[in-house]
Amino acid sequence: MTDVMLTVYHLYPDLLNLYGDRGNIIAFRRRCEWRGIAVQVREINLGERIDFTDADFLFLGGGSDREQDLMAEDLSSRRANLRDAFEDGMVTLAICGGYQLLGRYYRSLSGRVIPGLDLLDFYTQAGTTRLIGNVAVGISVPGRIVHVSGFENHSGQTFLGEIKPFGRVLSGHGNNGADGTEGARYKNVFCSYMHGPLLPKNPALTDYFIRLALERRGRDGFLAPLDDGFEDAANQVMLSRLKIL
Amino acid sequence: MPFRLCAAVWAGKTVAALSRMLGHRGSSLPGHVALRIYPGTLRALARRAKKGVILVTGTNGKTTTNNMIAQMLSDAGHSVIINREGANMLPGIATAFVRSAGVNPAYSFDYAVLEVDEASFPRVVEQVNPDVVVVTNFFRDQLDRYGELDQTISFIRDALRKLPKTRLVLNGDDPLVAQLGRIGPETTYFGLAPHGRVLDTSGASREARFCPLCGTDLHYSFYHYSQLGLYECTGCGFERPEPAVQGWEAVSSVDETTCRVVLDGRDFRLNLPTQGFYNLYNALAALCAGSGLRLEPETMLKSLYHYKPEIGRLQHFRHRGRPLYLNLVKNPAGFNESLAILLAARGSKDLYIAINDNAADGRDISWLWDVDVELLAEPDLEINRFLCSGERAAEMAVRLKYAGVSARKIGVEPRVQDAVGEMVRGGGDAAYLLATYTALWPTEKALSTMSDGK
């Protein structure tokens, strides 16, 4: 269909291979393949020599404290390269810990400030209660607003500066449980607290990411429609339960 | 017997009788009521164990291991109190005692054998002083995120430190469990020697990466599954301890699992009337605990040979000569083991997967994406039909589809009754039914009604 090969960078899968996050990689890949778009997934491990500007889609997940520290250390040595790729329009999905890391800092309950990569304008403050549960978010993609469902589980509360949110909370907590925002978006960098299989059951979002990646390569972003019966049903089960029309 | 304890036991018994009359399984309410009336109920009743209290904790295999130990003790002629499956937090454990206890203060029993929820363990041992604690394994559960497993283990470790006289029976193959061995005055380990099963180290979990004691990389020369195997820390020298009870030459077939095991210096064969390597671990844990209680090897092995699986632990049904197997799935490790059984079976199959997301199942079903569902896309497997059921049936269908299973083979029927009906009428040589906790009971009920029986 198209002669382009999209390259997916999956960051630290051996470290962060939990929480079902790999569902996002699987969904991106499958939905490309079903349309004849070639995809290669590169699993990037700590210390590996890479150039982010080679990537079309970057996935950055979350982990427990120990893993997150290792990830932060590794990424801080690649900060300039990552910034270049962001500016260049690389499509990125950063979840939970990966999201927080891209911001200015994380302030713990004791007041200790842990610097972030300071690539995006937001900060995170540790909260006293975890924000856990199913969540529905309205996210605008060209021409419409899609209702996305997911699951959040975070104690950090994120507050946005001069940056747009990823979407508006329809049900659930979102960034901080107070201002109705969920996630953050800068250029083609999308950040969210919706962990686990966000892309599989929200195909409109996945296709939007694929389209952005193709257009960045100067290709036509038209994607042949697929049968999304199962995906829509899975999403609808949750939206109905959360009473979102 | 102090008046308040007496009142608490009576009230608990009354609630138990009422809830039975109403047809509830309600297995925690009587204990709950008794503890409200007299908080010391559990402490007082647990002291009536003449020979000992045995607690079984860990992520997977608690119920099975616990029942195996109780059966062995009872076959050896001891009187035993046991909690019902799943009733493994404080009120459920209190219920076990209230149900069995007479109001006569002289009433006593030989052993209490209790499965204890990992997170409740510290609170339970404040009330019940165990003689033996068995730990089966620690796996990342669906509820576990962001190091909650590490936290649970550290709470159990702290609780064990306060029990200086308790003997420990630990899974030596699990580094997360074996690390507890340095605490007790007497620790015995059980384990499984490397066997012929194909290894896939890519399925090894994060838990296998780092030494739980010093954080350095762990080196494995063999994996059974998840982080269970032959490990050695490259930093502090922590390694798999030599098991006192070890299974050798393990073989699993359609209806039994066997291995060699040395007990009392003699060579025996352990035969279990069920599939799945994980059941060998449960049996080895029970043998290890039983040996410590001086039970005869012959008695223990005979007990295990006649062991009947609990509801939903690879429970066997039959309809018009066709077998149907029901198994509980609650986390990636257990789900992968269920798939391993399916992959090893010959003939054509129908597969049913029921996923609920109630509190007891875990509200977050992201863990389904950590299961190696991709294995099911193998065309040689001869799976005719994949039927998804339960409240999150559609999401399971998405998981199967993205694993590469042909969408034409996938069905969605959220109503358990109807989905089970389709399985019972199915065309495959055998049917496999997997269900999360709250989907298990309705599935079992529908199977019992619709099939020819067990």
Side-chain angles (χ1 to χ4, degrees):
Chain A
M1 199 191 119
T2 155
D3 55 342
V4 70
M5 154 92 81
L6 293 181
T7 301
V8 175
Y9 275 15
H10 185 185
L11 279 190
Y12 320 128
D14 65 334
L15 211 55
L16 312 171
N17 66 346
L18 6 124
Y19 316 146
D21 284 342
R22 71 172 168 169
N24 295 317
I25 303 284
I26 298 171
F28 188 93
R29 174 189 210 149
R30 289 282 185 201
R31 295 186 73 81
C32 285
E33 287 171 352
W34 287 332
R35 288 153 166 142
I37 304 166
V39 178
Q40 59 163 343
V41 177
R42 275 199 59 184
E43 301 198 331
I44 313 293
N45 294 308
L46 292 174
E48 212 170 296
R49 289 176 67 90
I50 45 156
D51 184 350
F52 283 120
T53 56
D54 291 342
D56 294 288
F57 178 58
L58 172 75
F59 179 76
L60 189 56
S64 64
D65 293 346
R66 178 167 54 193
E67 288 127 9
Q68 212 125 294
D69 290 347
L70 290 169
M71 172 170 88
E73 195 184 308
D74 195 63
L75 275 182
S76 58
S77 68
R78 310 169 186 271
R79 183 179 177 278
N81 182 232
L82 192 57
R83 187 191 52 213
D84 292 347
F86 284 176
E87 293 301 326
D88 188 45
M90 172 180 62
V91 181
T92 301
L93 180 61
I95 305 285
C96 294
Y99 168 19
Q100 294 171 352
L101 183 62
L102 298 179
R104 283 159 48 207
Y105 59 83
Y106 180 95
R107 188 162 50 213
S108 73
L109 278 180
S110 63
R112 195 163 69 95
V113 170
I114 303 149
L117 292 175
D118 199 12
L119 291 167
L120 304 179
D121 187 12
F122 57 78
Y123 68 92
T124 304
Q125 165 74 50
T128 45
T129 51
R130 287 196 85 84
L131 306 177
I132 305 178
N134 289 300
V135 56
V137 181
I139 291 174
S140 65
V141 300
R144 65 194 174 115
I145 288 182
V146 290
H147 291 169
V148 164
S149 66
F151 197 94
E152 61 181 338
N153 183 344
H154 53 110
S155 60
Q157 301 182 2
T158 296
F159 296 91
L160 305 180
E162 294 298 311
I163 187 170
K164 281 184 292 193
F166 184 23
R168 291 275 156 198
V169 177
L170 303 171
S171 175
H173 304 288
N175 278 334
N176 45 49
D179 66 13
T181 63
E182 206 295 318
R185 179 185 179 173
Y186 172 73
K187 295 201 168 183
N188 289 342
V189 182
F190 299 85
C191 303
S192 177
Y193 275 119
M194 290 182 279
H195 71 210
L198 174 64
L199 296 187
K201 68 166 173 244
N202 295 294
L205 205 56
T206 319
D207 286 355
Y208 179 40
F209 289 175
I210 296 172
R211 215 152 56 223
L212 288 173
L214 288 173
E215 283 164 358
R216 173 168 169 254
R217 288 280 172 131
R219 307 293 158 147
D220 179 3
F222 173 77
L223 295 177
L226 299 171
D227 177 357
D228 292 333
F230 292 143
E231 291 87 336
D232 292 342
N235 198 19
Q236 202 51 53
V237 165
M238 191 43 66
L239 293 177
S240 308
R241 196 190 290 179
L242 299 176
K243 302 191 168 45
I244 311 296
L245 294 176
Chain B
M1 190 180 206
F3 172 71
R4 281 179 72 196
L5 175 59
C6 190
V9 170
W10 268 112
K13 280 177 171 295
T14 308
V15 170
L18 278 172
S19 100
R20 259 198 310 276
M21 273 160 57
L22 294 168
H24 292 311
R25 293 187 42 83
S27 30
S28 297
L29 194 58
H32 197 76
V33 169
L35 286 171
R36 282 295 289 274
I37 293 173
Y38 179 50
T41 302
L42 183 52
R43 194 187 299 268
L45 294 180
R47 277 208 210 103
R48 293 181 178 184
K50 279 189 297 194
K51 295 179 180 163
V53 174
I54 299 153
L55 304 184
V56 179
T57 194
T59 310
N60 287 352
K62 284 189 289 287
T63 305
T64 302
T65 304
N66 199 62
N67 291 355
M68 284 173 167
I69 296 172
Q71 191 62 48
M72 286 173 174
L73 285 167
S74 151
D75 290 349
H78 301 287
S79 56
V80 178
I81 279 182
I82 184 167
N83 53 342
R84 281 202 188 138
E85 104 136 285
N88 57 14
M89 299 189 222
L90 210 51
I93 290 162
T95 301
F97 286 102
V98 167
R99 217 177 340 109
S100 326
V103 280
N104 171 6
Y107 173 87
S108 64
F109 45 87
D110 295 330
Y111 287 101
V113 186
L114 306 162
E115 65 158 288
V116 183
D117 169 71
E118 311 87 277
S120 305
F121 185 83
R123 292 208 301 141
V124 170
V125 296
E126 280 173 15
Q127 309 279 325
V128 179
N129 190 9
D131 299 276
V132 180
V133 169
V134 181
V135 186
T136 57
N137 47 56
F138 287 124
F139 293 126
R140 184 166 292 277
D141 227 331
Q142 72 274 31
L143 301 171
D144 180 65
R145 295 196 165 257
Y146 304 99
E148 285 165 32
L149 180 64
D150 300 342
Q151 205 168 53
T152 304
I153 296 172
S154 83
F155 289 154
I156 290 178
R157 190 191 302 121
D158 293 346
L160 288 175
R161 285 213 175 97
K162 293 182 201 148
L163 303 169
K165 288 184 182 150
T166 302
R167 279 178 289 133
L168 302 180
V169 172
L170 303 179
N171 186 340
D173 291 352
D174 183 346
L176 297 181
V177 173
Q179 62 163 322
L180 301 173
R182 308 195 165 183
I183 297 168
E186 185 190 328
T187 300
T188 46
Y189 299 92
F190 58 91
L192 203 50
H195 52 80
R197 195 175 155 204
V198 181
L199 299 178
D200 181 9
T201 52
S202 69
S205 65
R206 170 193 82 104
E207 280 69 28
R209 271 186 61 89
F210 304 109
C211 172
L213 294 175
C214 75
T216 318
D217 285 353
L218 271 188
H219 171 75
Y220 274 80
S221 50
F222 188 89
Y223 283 107
H224 291 292
Y225 59 94
S226 290
Q227 78 275 16
L228 308 192
L230 268 166
Y231 55 85
E232 188 185 359
C233 172
T234 51
C236 68
F238 172 61
E239 59 179 354
R240 174 190 188 248
E242 191 55 41
V245 174
Q246 174 154 237
W248 301 86
E249 297 165 17
V251 183
S252 186
S253 69
V254 176
D255 35 42
E256 69 165 13
T257 311
T258 75
C259 69
R260 278 176 53 206
V261 59
V262 176
L263 299 164
D264 267 0
R266 286 176 289 152
D267 203 337
F268 290 95
R269 179 150 287 279
L270 162 64
N271 288 297
L272 289 176
T274 173
Q275 302 170 50
F277 279 105
Y278 58 87
N279 276 319
L280 277 184
Y281 272 109
N282 298 331
L284 292 168
L287 286 172
C288 194
S291 299
L293 300 168
R294 309 274 175 265
L295 296 183
E296 289 294 320
E298 288 85 353
T299 313
M300 295 195 287
L301 291 166
K302 197 171 158 214
S303 260
L304 291 172
Y305 181 68
H306 294 288
Y307 178 75
K308 277 204 181 50
E310 277 297 290
I311 284 176
R313 303 310 196 284
L314 214 65
Q315 202 180 353
H316 194 156
F317 295 82
R318 203 160 264 288
H319 189 67
R320 301 200 174 143
R322 182 169 158 268
L324 301 103
Y325 301 98
L326 172 63
N327 211 12
L328 170 72
V329 291
K330 52 179 188 175
N331 47 38
F335 204 132
N336 284 338
E337 280 302 292
S338 288
L339 295 183
I341 290 170
L342 187 99
L343 296 176
R346 290 188 192 173
S348 63
K349 307 156 194 88
D350 301 309
L351 174 61
Y352 158 110
I353 307 175
I355 306 294
N356 276 353
D357 63 349
N358 296 308
D361 305 293
R363 298 203 179 277
D364 183 7
I365 58 168
S366 303
W367 63 277
L368 291 177
W369 292 80
D370 291 329
V371 178
D372 297 325
V373 182
E374 280 69 17
L375 295 171
L376 294 175
E378 206 46 57
D380 304 340
L381 269 181
E382 288 189 77
I383 303 177
N384 298 335
R385 177 116 175 104
F386 297 79
L387 187 59
C388 306
S389 191
E391 287 155 40
R392 303 299 292 273
E395 188 124 347
M396 189 62 224
V398 172
R399 178 69 189 101
L400 288 166
K401 178 181 165 184
Y402 281 84
V405 173
S406 160
R408 281 178 293 111
K409 288 188 171 185
I410 306 172
V412 175
E413 176 47 82
R415 284 164 302 200
V416 164
Q417 180 83 7
D418 295 349
V420 171
E422 200 182 305
M423 279 291 116
V424 170
R425 294 187 302 272
D429 295 337
Y432 289 83
L433 295 92
L434 311 180
T436 60
Y437 201 77
T438 68
L440 188 70
W441 302 105
T443 303
E444 202 266 344
K445 205 171 154 199
L447 267 175
S448 301
T449 328
M450 286 186 247
S451 71
D452 295 339
K454 292 163 195 179

